[in-house]
Amino acid sequence: MSQGKRVGIVGAGNVGATVAYSLAMLGSCHEIILRDNKIDVAKGKALDMSQAASAVRSHTVVSVAEEMSDLVDCDVVVVTAGSPRLPGMSRDDLLMINANITKDVIKGIAKYSPNAIVIMVSNPLDAMTYVALKESGFDRSRVIGMAGILDSSRMAAFIQEKLGYGGGQIRASVMGGHGDDMVPLPRYSTVAGVPLSDVLTQDEIDEIVDRTRHGGAEIVGYLKTGSAYYAPAKSTAIMVDAILKDTKQIHPCAVCLDGEYGYNDVVSGVPVMLGAKGAEKIIEVTLDEKENAMFAQSCASVQTLIDTLNKNNFFEGK
């Protein structure tokens, strides 16, 4: 890692801009570089954020990469570029559109920031993380998808709403792909260390699990013209901060499995230790029969997307 930490963010829309703002307020890095096709919009947001950073006495400077070649020597690059998920659109619908966008972006990152750790945020998240891994040629520890922290935070918020207490003391756990087949784990979720089953009925837990699975769609339904960005952006900033500060903290993230949990060459959300080298260790938790079945279904859903990419000869020449 270089002395002056530099974070690149590709896509300065709602999610990308909010990631940048969160990092600037934290003072996590020396420089944030925004890259977006709408250069003037990115410049305006960069100026605004730099001034906000000055207001809180943060040393972070926010600038703009007018060309991909300006996104150089970054320690971490966050990729949010892509078509957003609109009402009635499944994450799967986004597949080919965003795969091609991701391919172009990753080629630039591999060329100009070859030592960067890449955090994927674009949907469908798990498939885009797979595309980024294959197109970059990076080690799997350096290409990580943001989903588990977001899904876990949604589950925690729903638990707090249902209980009416415990804010800040709820630890929810979600594994699997970022989609309707994600795997919320009530057995590994607690309120101030108290098991969820001791404070909620099974029906209440089932309701929370179902709502968590459709948490993104619920927000899309209200917004009408876009999707969530505050929680996704904060979840991403948490990952960036953990990597830049080499915290070795465990967070649920999407990574390419290589034998873990019995799966190979498929991306799924699992607990990982985040540090300066990226996803430095994958933690294998014990799953019961029901949880194993849900995780298998989740991996199969992601595999279907990867199969679709292969059928369209997306990785030709690789």
Side-chain angles (χ1 to χ4, degrees):
M1 304 292 279
S2 60
Q3 289 301 306
K5 304 286 176 65
R6 180 179 288 174
V7 175
I9 298 176
V10 183
N14 285 339
V15 175
T18 310
V19 172
Y21 178 73
S22 295
L23 292 172
M25 292 301 96
L26 285 169
S28 300
C29 51
H30 177 68
E31 186 178 5
I32 296 168
I33 307 174
L34 298 179
R35 167 72 184 144
D36 196 277
N37 290 335
K38 297 174 181 174
I39 294 172
D40 283 349
V41 171
K43 283 181 176 178
K45 290 182 179 183
L47 267 175
D48 198 8
M49 279 184 257
S50 291
Q51 291 159 12
S54 293
V56 297
R57 306 291 192 266
S58 166
H59 66 280
T60 302
V61 175
V62 187
S63 62
V64 171
E66 294 197 20
E67 304 291 340
M68 202 66 192
S69 56
D70 296 329
L71 203 77
V72 66
D73 295 334
C74 293
D75 297 291
V76 179
V77 180
V78 175
V79 180
T80 71
S83 173
R85 185 180 174 206
L86 301 172
M89 182 188 289
S90 73
R91 288 187 175 92
D92 300 5
D93 295 334
L94 294 174
L95 182 62
M96 296 313 297
I97 298 170
N98 285 352
N100 282 300
I101 293 170
T102 298
K103 179 186 278 191
D104 289 342
V105 168
I106 292 298
K107 282 180 181 174
I109 294 170
K111 184 175 181 179
Y112 299 111
S113 289
N115 298 313
I117 291 162
V118 177
I119 297 178
M120 292 301 303
V121 185
S122 311
N123 277 320
L125 188 281
D126 305 278
M128 292 308 101
T129 303
Y130 186 86
V131 168
L133 177 65
K134 297 302 178 184
E135 293 297 328
S136 67
F138 290 178
D139 185 85
R140 65 175 179 146
S141 63
R142 292 204 289 131
V143 181
I144 316 165
M146 186 294 299
I149 297 175
L150 170 63
D151 295 330
S152 297
S153 69
R154 283 174 171 163
M155 185 174 175
F158 296 147
I159 291 168
Q160 182 180 346
E161 185 180 315
K162 181 68 73 177
L163 283 174
Y165 60 83
Q169 296 181 301
I170 298 167
R171 299 291 178 266
S173 185
V174 178
M175 283 178 54
H178 184 55
D180 296 343
D181 291 320
M182 70 179 70
V183 187
L185 297 172
R187 204 163 55 89
Y188 286 106
S189 302
T190 60
V191 182
V194 177
L196 209 56
S197 56
D198 287 357
V199 292
L200 291 170
T201 67
Q202 189 57 50
D203 284 348
E204 288 171 327
I205 291 172
D206 290 345
E207 183 186 329
I208 287 166
V209 165
D210 185 63
R211 195 176 174 196
T212 300
R213 286 201 174 108
H214 303 100
E218 183 177 350
I219 292 171
V220 169
Y222 285 123
L223 294 179
K224 309 295 186 203
T225 57
S227 54
Y229 54 96
Y230 291 120
K234 187 60 183 176
S235 300
T236 307
I238 288 168
M239 290 174 64
V240 175
D241 201 51
I243 291 165
L244 294 178
K245 293 178 179 173
D246 194 23
T247 65
K248 312 293 189 190
Q249 290 177 339
I250 296 171
H251 294 287
C253 303
V255 292
C256 192
L257 300 178
D258 184 20
E260 295 87 4
Y261 295 93
Y263 295 90
N264 286 282
D265 201 37
V266 66
V267 170
S268 194
V270 294
V272 304
M273 182 182 79
L274 289 181
K277 295 176 183 175
E280 297 185 358
K281 181 180 177 65
I282 293 175
I283 312 298
E284 292 193 66
V285 300
T286 304
L287 301 178
D288 64 23
E289 189 176 341
K290 181 182 177 184
E291 291 160 349
N292 261 316
M294 289 192 295
F295 190 70
Q297 184 177 340
S298 184
C299 288
S301 294
V302 177
Q303 187 62 55
T304 299
L305 299 180
I306 294 171
D307 291 345
T308 300
L309 290 168
N310 286 324
K311 284 174 189 170
N312 283 280
N313 302 313
F314 184 80
F315 298 108
E316 261 188 357
K318 285 286 170 189

